[in-house]
Amino acid sequence: MEGEIFAKTTEKDVTSAIVKSFHSMLIEYTDSDVIVVGGGPSGLMAARELAKVGKKVLVIERNNYLGGGFWIGGYLMNKITVRAPAEKVLDELLIPYQEYTKGLYVTDGPHACSKLIAAACEAGAKFLNMTTFEDLIIKERRVSGVVINWTPVQALPRQITCVDPIALESKLIIDATGHDAFVAKKLEERGLLKTRGYGSMWVEESEDAVVNHTGEVFSGLIVTGMAVTTVFGLPRMGPTFGGMLLSGKRAAEVALEKLKGFE
Ligand code: 48H
């Protein structure tokens, strides 16, 4: 490396590289096969599975960082647990882990989360960070897109900002917003869906139920991850993530089946 010289460039070229590349992505993704709202474990898993088979997938994430609760296991401790059979997902993503007791596995949060993010990127999913889902496009009782705004705009007091959101269209939406089930709640606000609120903790009951209830809850809207517990009133599972990963996979399977109707 000694003696290497960086390529010649100017400040304006650095700026226009960012602007042009971002804007061409934004324009291309005004229309997607699937928009995933929320870049936590369930959303990233769903996005990866869909992008891997060539679907056009955009993830909307209100934070600057992706990964949601998958960086930290519980109580600010960065160890992640999964129960069998979800260790197969760790194998698939080349995430190292140890068996703690029979069928209960533990892995490092930073390693697991960064690998899952990389897998979604490598599969071809695209991302809008610092972007908050605000509302839905609904036409003829079918969800057909999302209304979004920059997260910082939402954080400002109303009296000093009045910035209208923009809308993106897609064939399907996946609600992966975690405990808030933010997308499903937008339907509830309009009397189009009833959510039950997630139940108290019961790990053994929860994870199978979450995967089994993952699916379409309104025409064009699929729920995954903790949003499933909130919509259906299922018990929470606590700091273990196998149900999130397998729910994401299930959401992608349901989406692929539904997308056949558009071919
Ligand atoms: C844009 C948004 C918006 C919005 C939220 O919380 P997450 O990690 O969600 P899941 O369901 O993939 O995983 C849940 C898991 O992390 C967990 O908390 C578990 C297993 N708890 C068990 C228990 O008993 O409590 O990720 C959701 C993502 C986050 O990155 C949010 O920032 C994002 O969605 N998000 N993005 N617009 N309106 N709301």
Side-chain angles (χ1 to χ4, degrees):
M1 286 299 277
E2 208 185 319
E4 283 227 17
I5 296 173
F6 282 104
K8 272 179 92 63
T9 192
T10 62
E11 287 73 11
K12 77 173 166 44
D13 283 347
V14 173
T15 303
S16 65
I18 295 169
V19 174
K20 273 197 184 149
S21 147
F22 185 80
H23 276 197
S24 64
M25 177 186 80
L26 189 57
I27 287 167
E28 193 185 337
Y29 281 79
T30 51
D31 192 10
S32 306
D33 289 324
V34 182
I35 289 179
V36 179
V37 185
S42 64
L44 288 170
M45 195 75 234
R48 187 255 186 173
E49 295 295 290
L50 288 164
K52 195 176 73 175
V53 292
K55 299 302 172 195
K56 191 173 170 188
V57 184
L58 181 68
V59 179
I60 306 287
E61 172 52 56
R62 70 179 168 192
N63 279 327
N64 189 26
Y65 69 90
L66 297 164
F70 202 45
W71 291 103
I72 290 179
Y75 200 61
L76 294 184
M77 293 181 287
N78 65 359
K79 298 287 180 184
I80 297 289
T81 64
V82 305
R83 293 192 298 145
E87 85 284 7
K88 292 192 187 111
V89 181
L90 304 183
D91 289 332
E92 198 186 322
L93 300 180
L94 303 176
I95 298 167
Y97 57 86
Q98 287 166 350
E99 191 170 41
Y100 184 71
T101 53
K102 191 159 170 41
L104 176 65
Y105 303 90
V106 64
T107 177
D108 289 334
H111 202 159
C113 196
S114 56
K115 282 272 196 185
L116 178 58
I117 295 168
C121 294
E122 281 158 16
K126 297 291 176 206
F127 302 88
L128 290 179
N129 301 87
M130 295 298 283
T131 300
T132 294
F133 163 88
E134 260 195 15
D135 207 344
L136 287 161
I137 305 173
I138 303 174
K139 293 182 191 171
E140 289 152 5
R141 290 187 73 87
R142 182 177 173 84
V143 162
S144 57
V146 296
V147 179
I148 55 165
N149 215 332
W150 294 116
T151 299
V153 167
Q154 286 232 327
L156 290 168
R158 279 253 172 250
Q159 59 271 30
I160 60 165
T161 180
C162 182
V163 181
D164 265 347
I166 58 168
L168 306 174
E169 296 182 21
S170 67
K171 297 184 179 88
L172 296 170
I173 314 287
I174 297 182
D175 184 350
T177 58
H179 303 69
D180 290 338
F182 213 94
V183 186
K185 292 262 175 73
K186 275 289 157 194
L187 290 176
E188 185 165 36
E189 276 173 26
R190 301 200 167 91
L192 296 169
L193 184 75
K194 179 91 193 86
T195 72
R196 310 263 301 273
Y198 62 87
S200 48
M201 202 179 287
W202 186 5
V203 63
E204 288 204 326
E205 195 64 19
S206 174
E207 289 198 285
D208 291 298
V210 167
V211 178
N212 292 334
H213 284 77
T214 298
E216 193 176 43
V217 291
F218 186 82
S219 185
L221 178 66
I222 293 165
V223 285
T224 185
M226 278 308 284
V228 177
T229 63
T230 299
V231 169
F232 291 100
L234 305 176
R236 65 193 296 183
M237 69 293 298
T240 195
F241 290 80
M244 301 296 104
L245 299 171
L246 294 184
S247 169
K249 276 197 180 248
R250 179 84 196 108
E253 283 164 13
V254 174
L256 284 176
E257 202 49 46
K258 301 270 164 209
L259 285 173
K260 286 185 187 157
F262 291 86
E263 282 165 6

